[in-house]
Amino acid sequence: MFAEERQAEIAELVLTTRRVNGADLARRFDVTMETVRRDLAALEAAGRLRRVHGGAVSADQSTSDEKAISSRKHLNTPEKRRIAQAAFDLLRTSGAGAVVLDAGSTVEALADLIVRTDSTLPDGQEQLIITHALHIAAKLADASGIGLELVGGRVRKLTWAAAGGRAAEHYTRLRPDLAFVGCNGIHAAFGLSTPDPIEAVVKTAIIQTSRRVVVLCDSAKHDQETLMRFASLDEIDTLITDRAPGPELAAALEEADVEVVIA
């Protein structure tokens, strides 16, 4: 195979899988690692990927890149709907009296399902939903069987959510039964991450104070590392995703005793 053909195939792999491993490429094409490094360097120079430790990722990925909530709602919609439905099923059987909903498009899809049903608990009490996300609070404000607590702070226009120390401090005074948390990346070694430091502070507070933590994460975020880690794998209880994690991430999740639900 000519170098141009190999590089074209590598570029196509990065486009479809979002990440490639250098050793895997060497085995796939029966070439040396030095040849793979030259291929990746040429493709990076052409703007077709970005080299990272151990391989490469798609050119549009950055550890500090974050899409606005209005655009994220249109990404991976079928997958996010399945994840949201699995999360809703878990919520309905949990009997949780106080539930945290993090910001994010998949958690918002869960809120859409909550709105369509009466969430009154078996004892006749309202189910308390706690959130720092304005768009989620607006959906739930008049929902049947729901009591709503809005966590305040400085609102990020990008995500429509309160962030930073004030919001985090509010969460540290609570002890919710269940929390549904989103992420921008989940990685075997790095854990859960998000591009923004002030959002990471809030997510950390939610995870550290909740009795049970459920992460909603589509498979495009598997094996990804963004700028700020907000939790290790052993700090979460359940991962709901749309596709089985790869071998390394799956092993790390098992080691951390994380239940994996494939929606």
Side-chain angles (χ1 to χ4, degrees):
M1 179 181 287
F2 292 113
E4 292 82 0
E5 295 175 304
R6 187 175 58 250
Q7 289 170 17
E9 191 168 335
I10 292 172
E12 183 64 27
L13 279 171
V14 172
L15 190 63
T16 56
T17 66
R18 307 279 291 167
R19 187 182 186 97
V20 292
N21 177 274
D24 291 342
L25 292 175
R27 287 191 293 269
R28 181 188 183 101
F29 297 107
D30 193 23
V31 295
T32 65
M33 280 299 298
E34 181 58 35
T35 297
V36 169
R37 282 191 283 269
R38 285 198 298 268
D39 287 341
L40 295 181
L43 289 166
E44 183 176 52
R48 303 189 69 181
L49 52 74
R50 183 169 60 85
R51 285 185 293 173
V52 296
H53 179 71
V57 298
S58 58
D60 63 346
Q61 290 189 64
S62 167
T63 61
S64 59
D65 179 59
E66 188 175 12
K67 293 179 173 60
I69 188 68
S70 56
S71 64
R72 279 189 283 162
K73 286 192 291 187
H74 303 293
L75 297 176
N76 298 322
T77 300
E79 293 83 358
K80 290 181 179 181
R81 285 178 185 155
R82 296 203 306 272
I83 293 168
Q85 183 62 58
F88 180 71
D89 294 342
L90 186 155
L91 174 62
R92 295 290 286 178
T93 59
S94 69
V99 180
V100 173
L101 296 187
D102 187 19
S105 55
T106 309
V107 180
E108 184 178 1
L110 169 59
D112 288 333
L113 295 174
I114 295 172
V115 168
R116 296 174 196 162
T117 63
D118 187 332
S119 298
T120 304
L121 296 170
D123 62 3
Q125 297 294 313
E126 290 185 326
Q127 187 170 59
L128 177 64
I129 300 291
I130 308 159
T131 186
H132 57 290
L134 296 183
H135 54 294
I136 291 175
K139 290 175 183 286
L140 297 173
D142 198 34
S144 180
I146 289 295
L148 180 65
E149 179 166 341
L150 180 60
V151 174
R154 181 71 176 267
V155 175
R156 291 188 71 214
K157 292 181 179 179
L158 191 68
T159 59
W160 302 350
R166 285 178 58 196
E169 199 274 334
H170 188 138
Y171 278 118
T172 62
R173 299 199 301 268
L174 305 175
R175 194 65 165 164
D177 301 304
L178 179 61
F180 292 97
V181 179
C183 68
N184 294 78
I186 182 167
H187 187 274
F190 195 60
L192 303 165
S193 59
T194 184
D196 189 79
I198 63 173
E199 288 221 348
V201 169
V202 177
K203 290 177 183 289
T204 296
I206 292 170
I207 286 173
Q208 291 181 346
T209 59
S210 299
R211 299 181 190 277
R212 182 181 182 186
V213 178
V214 179
V215 173
L216 310 184
C217 178
D218 62 78
S219 57
K221 299 166 185 173
H222 292 182
D223 304 314
Q224 300 300 312
E225 301 168 278
T226 57
L227 183 62
M228 292 296 298
R229 179 173 65 179
F230 61 85
S232 58
L233 296 182
D234 60 10
E235 292 179 288
I236 67 175
D237 299 290
T238 302
L239 169 68
I240 303 179
T241 187
D242 59 286
R243 191 173 63 192
E248 185 177 2
L249 179 56
L253 289 164
E254 184 176 2
E255 175 67 23
D257 197 26
V258 176
E259 175 191 19
V260 179
V261 176
I262 309 300

